[in-house]
Amino acid sequence: MSSPQIRPTDATVADLGEFGLISAVADVVARTAPGTDVLVGPGDDAAVMRVRSGHVVVSTDVLVEGRHFRRDWAEAVDVGHRAAAQNISDVNAMGGRAQWLTVSLAMPADLPAAWALDFTRGFATECAAVGAGVVGGDLSRADAVVVSVTVIGACTVSPVLRSGAAPGDVLALCGRQGWAAGGLAVLGRGFRSPRVLVEAYRRPAPPYDAGPQAAQAGATAMIDVSDGLLAEAGHLAVASGVSIDVSTGSFEVPEPLLAVGAATGADPLQFILAGGDDHSLLATFPAGAALPEGWVRIGTVGSAPVEGEPAVTVDGAPYDGPTGWTHF
Amino acid sequence: MSSPQIRPTDATVADLGEFGLISAVADVVARTAPGTDVLVGPGDDAAVMRVRSGHVVVSTDVLVEGRHFRRDWAEAVDVGHRAAAQNISDVNAMGGRAQWLTVSLAMPADLPAAWALDFTRGFATECAAVGAGVVGGDLSRADAVVVSVTVIGACTVSPVLRSGAAPGDVLALCGRQGWAAGGLAVLGRGFRSPRVLVEAYRRPAPPYDAGPQAAQAGATAMIDVSDGLLAEAGHLAVASGVSIDVSTGSFEVPEPLLAVGAATGADPLQFILAGGDDHSLLATFPAGAALPEGWVRIGTVGSAPVEGEPAVTVDGAPYDGPTGWTHF
């Protein structure tokens, strides 16, 4: 359905009304690639998709304004990209590829309609970039913007779980790590540069191909770094019943993080060890395996920690700095 | 993982902390039936499920505190049942059956942890009642409770869309209709009876088997009544390019609605025509088709309305009362 109300400059979502907004959002979605194997798209009680792989991989995430994003720190289109990216990344971390996504928006009545439409455009564009389609959603009023996303995908080989790491494996990382945390630190101090870090925070660039490639290469366990590298290493260690040691010497601290460290007095390595939101991938591989392109060895897997010892160490010693982000 | 912190009497979600709450919620889910064909359940980056039907049917909904439910009007367990029911119903309205659900909870830090756990128990119990399992979710902090649900299911015959109604078809309804709206009216006036209506509002009882049965019986179009009978009839009419006439003489107004009408001065028929939240099913069937058990003929399908005429009429005439609920 076409609508003359697309991109109203001043209109709020309440001005458009529920069905006007649904129509405008649907228009935005319809102007991006629909994804493959969609038998019934958005607009009915449910969407229907053909499944060729015999299985589905499903994950869901919620983003809350003021908690996961701030409207004054990121454009709507970037929030849309990020909402899609962090969910696509969860399928990636199983060694799979995203195929279809749903997205719900709860939002204040006085939210500019352009925000909702720009968000949708960013979301749908990020999906289309990996060949995935937006197949459904819901809209409602709320006091703050709350975005809920569910992604459905599939693996070509067996899914790589968090629980498969074994002593003797190597720990490896793929993708930018610490950049988004550096950008967040910059924004939190009221600055807008280094711009490359701010952009990394606003719109992550997860290594989407790296998940399936790692699965193919025999990764034994995998997780995406959304909450902090050491925190995610801890999830792998606990799920696998192993210990993990991270070698800080493996990291080449990128120049922009050095600059932020110098300006703020923070240890730039902290952004790497405790930062999330880049959606880099952390995986373990058998000791002899050749790491796929883009993966860097950053640590080792040992036997289960003795009672009272930490599951994750840094350079062989307990680590008492922050390890990641908590939501309560 | 077991946790000694289950059902703390006074603890808030912040007291439990993110991982304590995740663990407690996961415990509640683990104590209900997991659903079938779940290869990887909650707790990894994504869940993995075997698909035997060659397709998936997917729908998503968001429920916002103060908008879709009030914590002083319904117990947490009821909100959980309702959140699951309204999503399962969307798959039902395609003629399918729900198999797997995800649920996200954004909530204030001072929310009693018991609320989150009771909600989860209601949600998981409603899923288990139809043989579906909870396979994933997310938790976050927010200023109000926002619940997001996605359901995945499958059809045994072709999905029944909104767009298949043809002139000459009959319009039929299955399930309680108007009860929840009557209950809401009662609660809105500060009363708690008739109890059967209040209960119908708090915990709907959608006719879950009726969708697949209607599909099997040759239903040409179908929708679930979440926002109002006439509003949903309008969606069917527009999607199918037909007109629909609803005969009020088809409805036997149930005694509790008559009682509410008498007490409030409202026309009890209005609850039936404009009420939502019961998740009854509205479908069209070919004129000669035998309606499956539980379905009642309530109207007829005619040719497309002439420009300027309403797509839905009541007893052959335009209707100027409320037709349903809008979200902005």
Side-chain angles (χ1 to χ4, degrees), chain A residues 18 44-49 51 54-59 61-62 68 138 140-141 148 150 161-162 222 327-328, chain B residues 18 44-49 51 54-59 61-62 68 138 140-141 148 150 161-162 222 327-328:
Chain A
E18 181 181 11
D44 216 297
D45 293 287
V48 184
M49 286 81 72
V51 174
H55 72 278
V56 286
V57 177
V58 175
S59 185
D61 261 333
V62 60
H68 299 93
D138 194 16
S140 183
R141 192 188 288 190
S148 308
T150 299
L161 309 188
R162 298 180 178 185
M222 187 153 53
H327 294 92
F328 282 99
Chain B
E18 181 181 10
D44 216 296
D45 293 287
V48 184
M49 286 82 72
V51 174
H55 71 279
V56 286
V57 177
V58 175
S59 185
D61 261 333
V62 59
H68 298 94
D138 194 15
S140 182
R141 193 187 287 191
S148 307
T150 299
L161 310 188
R162 298 181 177 183
M222 187 152 55
H327 295 94
F328 283 99

Side-chain angles (χ1 to χ4, degrees), chain A residues 78-326:
Chain A
D78 291 329
V79 179
H81 273 277
R82 180 137 72 93
Q86 74 178 55
N87 277 272
I88 295 168
S89 178
D90 281 322
V91 172
N92 196 23
M94 301 296 281
R97 291 191 186 273
Q99 295 174 286
W100 311 296
L101 290 93
T102 63
V103 54
S104 291
L105 263 184
M107 57 202 145
D110 64 356
L111 184 77
W115 197 96
L117 300 182
D118 285 344
F119 167 89
T120 303
R121 182 164 51 82
F123 187 88
T125 303
E126 187 75 19
C127 293
V130 297
V134 181
V135 296
D138 194 16
L139 299 171
S140 183
R141 192 188 288 190
D143 288 338
V145 180
V146 178
V147 178
S148 308
V149 180
T150 299
V151 59
I152 303 175
C155 297
T156 49
V157 296
S158 285
V160 182
L161 309 188
R162 298 180 178 185
S163 52
D169 284 355
V170 302
L171 182 73
L173 180 75
C174 185
R176 298 193 304 205
Q177 173 56 28
W179 292 47
L184 186 60
V186 161
L187 286 167
R189 286 173 170 79
F191 299 113
R192 304 272 159 160
S193 72
R195 191 156 182 81
V196 66
L197 298 184
V198 171
E199 292 301 322
Y201 167 73
R202 287 177 174 156
R203 195 185 293 195
Y208 290 130
D209 291 331
Q213 287 167 357
Q216 204 77 47
T220 52
M222 187 153 53
I223 194 168
D224 83 314
V225 181
S226 42
D227 292 340
L229 177 57
L230 295 181
E232 309 291 2
H235 296 318
L236 281 189
V238 169
S240 296
V242 296
S243 63
I244 287 179
D245 184 60
V246 174
S247 313
T248 57
S250 326
F251 301 108
E252 197 176 323
V253 180
E255 196 280 324
L257 285 183
L258 290 172
V260 173
T264 64
D267 177 359
L269 199 60
Q270 284 240 335
F271 297 122
I272 295 176
L273 294 178
D277 287 329
D278 287 306
H279 301 285
S280 59
L281 281 184
L282 188 66
T284 55
F285 293 86
L291 300 185
E293 196 187 328
W295 287 86
V296 176
R297 180 183 169 141
I298 64 160
T300 53
V301 179
S303 44
V306 176
E307 177 83 30
E309 286 188 359
V312 176
T313 50
V314 175
D315 298 330
Y319 181 78
D320 57 6
T323 60
W325 163 267
T326 55

Side-chain angles (χ1 to χ4, degrees), chain A residues 18-19 44-45 138, chain B residues 59-62 68 82 85-87 89-90 93 162 173 176-178 180-181 184 201 204 206 223-233 235 271-282 323-327:
Chain A
E18 181 181 11
F19 294 108
D44 216 297
D45 293 287
D138 194 16
Chain B
S59 185
T60 195
D61 261 333
V62 59
H68 298 94
R82 180 136 73 91
Q86 75 179 54
N87 278 272
S89 178
D90 281 322
R162 298 181 177 183
L173 181 74
R176 299 192 302 205
Q177 173 56 28
L184 186 59
Y201 168 73
I223 194 168
D224 85 313
V225 180
S226 42
D227 292 340
L229 176 57
L230 295 181
E232 308 291 2
H235 295 320
F271 297 122
I272 295 176
L273 294 177
D277 288 327
D278 288 304
H279 301 285
S280 59
L281 282 183
L282 188 65
T323 60
W325 163 268
T326 55
H327 295 94

